[in-house]
């Protein structure tokens, strides 16, 4: 409730990178009541939030790739996330916790690369 009362109407993007920030309670016919919705009601145009507990190393790399795609490569929010997810999917090394060269041994488990989703304006 506190977030809803904030004036965030000029906020383009809020990244809620703590675990399970994209979850909430389903309100019959009203959608999901949760932190993402509160930020949208406060005026945030787009939110990026996690759907489950995340691996810290993979999430750090995912966020670095996301911001580079968004700011340096000027991709849309959705495409910036997609490309970051593909990078982690193809290059995350479980042993080192770093991005390596593309390899077939990279973990395909979505736990490492698919926990974040965009809500709101994807552009």
């Amino acid at each position: 409730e506190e977030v809803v009362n904030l004036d965030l109407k000029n906020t383009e993007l809020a990244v809620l990178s703590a675990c399970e920030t994209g979850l909430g309670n389903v309100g019959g016919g009203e959608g999901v009541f949760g932190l993402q919705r509160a930020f949208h009601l406060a005026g945030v145009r787009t939110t990026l939030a996690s759907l489950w507990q995340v691996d810290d190393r993979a999430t750090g790399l995912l966020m670095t790739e996301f911001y580079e795609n968004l700011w340096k490569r000027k991709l849309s929010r959705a495409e910036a996330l997609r490309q970051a997810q593909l990078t982690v999917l193809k290059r995350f090394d479980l042993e080192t916790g770093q991005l390596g060269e593309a390899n077939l041994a990279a973990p395909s488990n979505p736990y490492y690369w698919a926990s974040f989703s965009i809500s709101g304006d994807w552009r």
Side-chain angles (χ1 to χ4, degrees), residues 1 3-9 32-45 47:
E1 290 180 28
V3 172
V4 171
N5 293 319
L6 296 172
D7 180 9
L8 301 174
K9 65 179 175 255
V32 177
F33 293 102
L35 197 53
Q36 275 188 307
R37 182 174 179 159
F39 274 90
H40 286 297
L41 290 172
V44 173
R45 191 169 186 170
T47 59

Side-chain angles (χ1 to χ4, degrees), residues 7 17 33 69 77 83 119:
D7 180 9
S17 62
F33 293 102
N69 290 335
R77 295 169 189 139
Q83 290 301 319
S119 175

Side-chain angles (χ1 to χ4, degrees), residues 6-119:
L6 296 172
D7 180 9
L8 301 174
K9 65 179 175 255
N10 293 319
T11 305
E12 290 291 321
L13 174 67
V15 177
L16 313 175
S17 62
C19 295
E20 300 177 350
T21 52
L23 301 182
N25 298 318
V26 176
E30 294 293 323
V32 177
F33 293 102
L35 197 53
Q36 275 188 307
R37 182 174 179 159
F39 274 90
H40 286 297
L41 290 172
V44 173
R45 191 169 186 170
T46 306
T47 59
L48 179 64
S50 68
L51 300 173
W52 55 78
Q53 292 189 12
V54 297
D55 179 88
D56 289 337
R57 299 172 308 167
T59 298
L61 296 168
L62 180 83
M63 287 298 148
T64 299
E65 290 292 316
F66 172 72
Y67 288 123
E68 285 185 13
N69 290 335
L70 191 63
W71 294 332
K72 290 182 181 176
R73 296 180 61 203
K74 306 290 186 205
L75 299 178
S76 71
R77 295 169 189 139
E79 187 61 21
L81 177 61
R82 179 179 174 274
Q83 290 301 319
Q85 289 172 325
L86 287 171
T87 297
V88 173
L89 167 65
K90 293 175 183 175
R91 296 179 43 208
F92 181 65
D93 185 324
L94 279 171
E95 289 183 24
T96 66
Q98 300 295 318
L99 294 179
E101 296 300 317
N103 65 62
L104 297 175
S108 60
N109 187 331
Y111 168 75
Y112 295 99
W113 58 270
S115 61
F116 285 87
S117 67
I118 285 186
S119 175

